[in-house]
Amino acid sequence: MLVAMLQMIVVGAGGGKWDLLRSNIGVSAMHMQLLNNDRVVIFDLTDFGASNISLPNNRCRDNPKDLALQHDCTAHSVEYNVASNSIRPLFVYSNTWCSSGAAMLDGSLMQTGGFNDGYNTVRVFKPCNDNSCDWQEFSNVLTHRRWYASNHILPDGRQIIFGGRDRFSYEFYPKTSGADLAVELSFLKDTRDPTIENNLYPFVFLNVDGNMFVFTNNRAIMFDYVRRVVVRTYPTIPGGDPRNYPSSGSAVLLPLRISSGAVVAEVLVCGGAPKGSFTSANNGNFVTALNTCGRIRINDPNPQWLMETMPLARVMGDMVLLPNGNVLIINGAAAGTAGWGIARNPVLTPLVYRPNNQAGSRFEAQNATSIPRMYHSNAILLRDGRVLVSGSNPNAYYTFTGVLYPTDLTMQAYSPEYLDPQFAPLRSNIVSPASHSQLGYGQLLTINFTLPQPTINATTLTISIVAPPFTTHSFSMNQRLLLLTTSNVTSLGGSNYQLRVSTPNSKILAPPGYYLLFLVYQQVPSPGIWVQFK
């Protein structure tokens, strides 16, 4: 393969292990969402011809609006069963290309927009365990077309949808009386670079005060969507280079530590491409990606960016919040930008960012993969603590030969260092509550667990809850991790223990829906359990 002759970025590594789960999942993993039955919904787009997996029972998709293949007997979405390592083809009708979404209160994936006949479409996938569930689609229900938009769950359970190509507005879904239209937001237009954009897939996070932090290109605002006003404008990120699509960096809201005091909210933005990189790449000049991260405490009286330098430059990377509060930075390239065939030099080495370390000692390189994950690749956290990695298709069609980076349909699992067998004595198991328990807000929750230790250090024990995100194009929408305060850790005899923990006291801190709950001891997480906040 030509790719073997290309420069690949590999650095001396720390830990972690890679496993190939499947050599072919049938579709390119442009979008991924973990659901509360431990299955992952994966989908690509429909307008670029056949995929690599057939629809079942001789079913075909007949869509006169399709721009490539109006009679198509292949699937463009699949469901991955983590437990059985199996794939089930799904039927999606309208074009999901570069769309957005989030998991809702009842655990269903509500997915919005796309291209062509998918511009104003909403799709719903309700998880099931008997393989009977499939996509439901609702055409022409969005007020504005949403292509390259970003979504976030709100405390009232609705999604707010920001932006999209040539759409400088936001709207809500499901629609409610008095809130059924789109509202213009000039910030989305002001941050658009002519002909290049750099304002697509905005980085949006629900702040602890209920307002929305919105970052696009190189700037950010705090937006009160209830009163429709910008309540704060942040400094431009130092250097002024763009961080959003197509100069695709990535961003996370760092873990929120829930205690009796004020909750500190910090945003971390990493990677991207220097100004002009998109134009240069289209002319055959692949500029080195950014190697910087900006970190900002968004509620400080005078918030300023703290800049940090990564060991590796990276564009189109993914940032995954791990159960122990660290950040995994994975996938991407070292030069060029997002787009068809305009990136070079795959970055094969993941990084772990430890936010609680001193500045200058937060990054550590991990063991490298051998598979490039370029444009349209993805990574998401699983309940067992592994990270599912798939995708990479910088080609307009499924192309397997004659190109620098062929379409990749493999699926891998990256096991962070905490899953190494040497840490087994520190790995707990949650006995109760049972998985899928419903939790209230401001509740004192009793957790029983086992840990193969005769005594434990309660000061190194934490409960984390993680909202599984909808991930595409280097941004994990609705990704959120809360660290909860534990108390009354007691021994029940042998390796059995009990603790109490206070759940978040508001839907602003933890919007309603399903979360993964982990018990973390000395940085080693238990397998997670599903819990639902209502």
Side-chain angles (χ1 to χ4, degrees):
M1 290 170 52
L2 291 173
V3 72
M5 299 183 288
L6 299 174
Q7 180 182 358
M8 298 186 185
I9 308 302
V10 183
V11 171
K17 181 173 74 77
W18 289 90
D19 292 295
L20 180 66
L21 298 179
R22 293 187 64 90
S23 60
N24 186 344
I25 65 169
V27 302
S28 178
M30 185 186 294
H31 314 79
M32 293 205 298
Q33 170 77 56
L34 174 68
L35 300 176
N36 70 84
N37 59 352
D38 293 320
R39 301 190 187 190
V40 181
V41 173
I42 302 168
F43 54 97
D44 191 7
L45 73 167
T46 60
D47 264 354
F48 284 166
S51 74
N52 210 242
I53 186 171
S54 296
L55 287 165
N57 303 318
N58 297 314
R59 190 178 186 185
C60 295
R61 171 180 160 272
D62 291 296
N63 185 344
K65 295 182 179 179
D66 194 286
L67 300 178
L69 194 60
Q70 295 181 358
H71 179 72
D72 184 0
C73 300
T74 63
H76 298 276
S77 177
V78 297
E79 179 190 65
Y80 174 66
N81 186 322
V82 176
S84 63
N85 190 33
S86 61
I87 290 290
R88 179 171 72 94
L90 303 174
F91 183 93
V92 63
Y93 183 79
S94 60
N95 195 351
T96 52
W97 185 18
C98 301
S99 52
S100 51
M104 301 294 283
L105 167 64
D106 66 353
S108 62
L109 169 59
M110 184 173 289
Q111 199 275 315
T112 57
F115 180 67
N116 192 19
D117 63 335
Y119 279 139
N120 300 82
T121 298
V122 169
R123 306 166 196 86
V124 176
F125 186 89
K126 295 183 178 181
C128 64
N129 293 319
D130 62 0
N131 294 337
S132 65
C133 44
D134 212 330
W135 286 103
Q136 305 171 58
E137 302 198 31
F138 306 90
S139 301
N140 299 315
V141 294
L142 298 177
T143 305
H144 281 177
R145 69 184 197 184
R146 300 295 171 186
W147 189 28
Y148 297 91
S150 291
N151 299 18
H152 204 292
I153 292 291
L154 297 176
D156 64 7
R158 293 178 298 164
Q159 292 188 36
I160 187 169
I161 309 165
F162 282 96
R165 177 158 283 165
D166 297 325
R167 289 296 177 266
F168 313 112
S169 65
Y170 64 93
E171 64 181 287
F172 304 92
Y173 199 86
K175 302 295 183 185
T176 58
S177 177
D180 58 347
L181 301 177
V183 181
E184 296 298 315
L185 180 58
S186 60
F187 174 74
L188 298 173
K189 187 173 184 178
D190 295 342
T191 51
R192 182 185 186 275
D193 290 338
T195 71
I196 300 173
E197 297 174 310
N198 286 328
N199 68 333
L200 302 181
Y201 281 121
F203 303 146
V204 296
F205 302 104
L206 179 65
N207 189 20
V208 297
D209 64 1
N211 294 321
M212 298 299 303
F213 178 89
V214 183
F215 181 103
T216 179
N217 197 324
N218 54 19
R219 284 165 277 171
I221 57 170
M222 188 68 73
F223 183 64
D224 183 336
Y225 63 88
V226 176
R227 295 187 298 136
R228 302 182 180 180
V229 294
V230 175
V231 296
R232 170 173 277 180
T233 300
Y234 294 88
T236 299
I237 196 167
D241 289 309
R243 307 283 179 154
N244 292 84
Y245 185 94
S247 298
S248 301
S250 190
V252 292
L253 178 69
L254 289 175
L256 300 172
R257 186 170 294 278
I258 310 301
S259 63
S260 58
V263 179
V264 175
E266 292 185 273
V267 169
L268 181 70
V269 180
C270 289
K275 295 176 184 177
S277 294
F278 181 75
T279 301
S280 294
N282 277 287
N283 290 324
N285 178 27
F286 303 100
V287 178
T288 299
L290 299 173
N291 67 348
T292 55
C293 295
R295 179 170 170 172
I296 190 167
R297 295 171 67 134
I298 60 178
N299 295 316
D300 275 7
N302 182 30
Q304 300 294 320
W305 291 98
L306 168 69
M307 300 306 292
E308 303 180 72
T309 301
M310 298 186 289
L312 298 164
R314 194 181 305 250
V315 64
M316 302 182 297
D318 289 286
M319 296 174 72
V320 181
L321 293 174
L322 299 176
N324 60 8
N326 293 334
V327 183
L328 179 70
I329 306 174
I330 196 167
N331 299 337
T337 70
W340 300 124
I342 53 173
R344 296 292 185 272
N345 306 341
V347 182
L348 304 179
T349 302
L351 301 175
V352 165
Y353 177 87
R354 294 179 170 84
N356 295 328
N357 283 10
Q358 292 295 316
S361 61
R362 291 175 175 152
F363 293 99
E364 182 186 50
Q366 304 298 294
N367 285 327
T369 181
S370 59
I371 300 176
R373 299 291 180 187
M374 304 288 279
Y375 187 41
H376 293 148
S377 58
N378 257 315
I380 59 169
L381 178 70
L382 298 177
R383 185 172 62 85
D384 58 16
R386 295 178 299 163
V387 175
L388 193 69
V389 180
S390 193
S392 188
N393 188 18
N395 313 294
Y397 300 89
Y398 282 31
T399 307
F400 301 103
T401 60
V403 292
L404 291 176
Y405 303 106
T407 303
D408 192 289
L409 303 180
T410 63
M411 175 177 280
Q412 296 171 281
Y414 174 72
S415 297
E417 189 173 24
Y418 54 62
L419 291 174
D420 190 281
Q422 67 175 311
F423 297 117
L426 303 177
R427 190 165 300 118
S428 58
N429 275 284
I430 297 172
V431 177
S432 65
S435 193
H436 292 80
S437 294
Q438 291 184 4
L439 303 183
Y441 291 92
Q443 171 186 342
L444 191 61
L445 176 67
T446 299
I447 297 177
N448 292 335
F449 63 100
T450 61
L451 184 67
Q453 297 284 327
T455 60
I456 60 175
N457 180 358
T459 64
T460 64
L461 196 154
T462 305
I463 297 296
S464 65
I465 60 172
V466 185
F470 178 87
T471 302
T472 187
H473 288 79
S474 301
F475 183 49
S476 292
M477 303 173 196
N478 205 52
Q479 185 171 215
R480 197 173 189 85
L481 188 151
L482 284 71
L483 300 171
L484 306 184
T485 301
T486 61
S487 62
N488 301 109
V489 181
T490 57
S491 173
L492 301 179
S495 59
N496 299 293
Y497 296 90
Q498 184 180 88
L499 63 80
R500 290 184 176 178
V501 64
S502 298
T503 64
N505 62 11
S506 82
K507 295 181 178 181
I508 293 174
L509 293 175
Y514 281 91
Y515 290 74
L516 285 169
L517 185 150
F518 297 90
L519 190 152
V520 182
Y521 183 64
Q522 295 187 24
Q523 294 292 300
V524 177
S526 68
I529 64 168
W530 289 102
V531 295
Q532 184 188 31
F533 285 96
K534 296 188 72 173

